[in-house]
Amino acid sequence: MSAPRRTGAGLFAPDRATTPLGTWLKIASGEPAEIMAYAGFDFVVIDLEHAPLDLQTAYRLINSAAALGMVPLVRVPDKTASTIQKILDAGAMGILVPHVDTVEEAAAVGRACRFPPHGVRGAGGTSRAGAWGLRPGADYLATGNDDVLCIPQLESAEAIKAAPRILALDSVDAVFVGAADLSMSMGSTPASPEVLELIASAQEAAHTAGKRCGLAFGGAPERAARAVRDGCDFVLLSNDTSMLAETARGLVTAFREADGHR
């Protein structure tokens, strides 16, 4: 089986042999990106929503991830076209957009990801995405329209209800269900039956549209594997800060227990 193209769209290539597996990057340093590549992750999501990362840091992490063979995606902090354009010009192979609740919001985000006539993204062929002006213009424009992933995050019951119309948009490639925010908006928990029902609804809408639906599972690979068997198409496990924190706490706890002096 041939390997998928290392582009945003290649992450969801139909001939992929394995489920796309990613993690979040929250540390403002290149070393975690290197570690995730050597660990075997297929993609990373550089988190500009919940981490103190600026655009220049994201710029460096995008380059590191791509150079190491991973697909670099970025969770943008807002829905503005200017933010999305800068991230895509920096070479991101796709974006996750938080709190997309309506088809109108999804359509606006999708337009920001695509060049005219499919959208409103401005041409920046002298950026990294255009190989500093060395990439043929037609190739730069085609890649921007065909290979960049636009992934709205569905994080409310309103968003799940709108999922079939959101996924019907040509500019939307997949959706990501933010189970934590979804459950909080409902006064519930991510594992509650009503939340699981909404997640299943989003997955069904994605598959009906011929697209993908992803979820995050923290440090619970067994739960993630079960979700894939139940229809989840791509998975995020843990993040660089939590991996460090959990391993550090585990080492300290194990030592104190073995030492006996506590």
Side-chain angles (χ1 to χ4, degrees):
M1 184 173 291
S2 61
R5 293 177 62 200
R6 188 167 53 81
T7 64
L11 194 65
F12 296 152
D15 60 348
R16 261 198 90 89
T18 58
T19 301
L21 175 62
T23 190
W24 308 95
L25 294 183
K26 298 174 179 287
I27 297 174
S29 173
E31 284 81 1
E34 294 182 39
I35 291 168
M36 301 312 164
Y38 293 132
F41 284 98
D42 301 303
F43 68 98
V44 289
V45 182
I46 299 156
D47 190 1
L48 301 190
E49 183 192 17
H50 287 300
L53 303 179
D54 60 21
L55 184 61
Q56 287 189 343
T57 301
Y59 195 82
R60 293 194 299 270
L61 293 177
I62 289 166
N63 188 52
S64 295
L68 291 162
M70 295 184 295
V71 171
L73 308 180
V74 175
R75 176 155 67 177
V76 293
D78 55 58
K79 306 180 185 74
T80 62
S82 60
T83 297
I84 291 170
Q85 177 160 310
K86 287 180 180 178
I87 289 298
L88 295 181
D89 282 346
M93 296 179 187
I95 60 166
L96 276 70
V97 186
H99 299 288
V100 176
D101 293 320
T102 67
V103 68
E104 291 80 13
E105 289 178 341
V109 166
R111 287 193 299 272
C113 291
R114 313 300 178 196
F115 296 114
H118 309 289
V120 297
R121 179 181 170 188
T126 56
S127 65
R128 173 183 287 150
W132 318 114
L134 300 178
R135 192 174 195 177
D139 181 47
Y140 162 69
L141 295 175
T143 300
N145 280 333
D146 297 335
D147 288 343
V148 169
L149 293 175
C150 176
I151 306 176
Q153 293 187 193
L154 310 182
E155 301 179 273
S156 68
E158 178 187 9
I160 301 294
K161 183 178 180 181
R165 290 179 295 144
I166 289 172
L167 285 152
L169 296 170
D170 290 339
S171 57
V172 169
D173 300 288
V175 291
F176 174 83
V177 179
D181 281 346
L182 173 61
S183 63
M184 283 196 298
S185 74
M186 300 168 63
S188 187
T189 65
S192 65
E194 60 269 24
V195 172
L196 294 176
E197 183 177 348
L198 289 179
I199 292 171
S201 173
Q203 291 174 346
E204 181 180 359
H207 299 161
T208 298
K211 297 179 181 179
R212 311 299 175 97
C213 181
L215 293 163
F217 291 92
E222 296 84 3
R223 284 179 50 222
R226 285 197 302 272
V228 169
R229 291 193 290 271
D230 290 339
C232 179
D233 301 297
F234 63 99
V235 166
L236 282 150
L237 286 177
S238 196
N239 62 78
D240 50 5
T241 55
S242 291
M243 292 181 201
L244 176 60
E246 290 164 7
T247 300
R249 174 63 64 83
L251 287 171
V252 170
T253 300
F255 172 76
R256 296 302 183 201
E257 290 175 350
D259 179 55
H261 291 85
R262 294 182 175 82

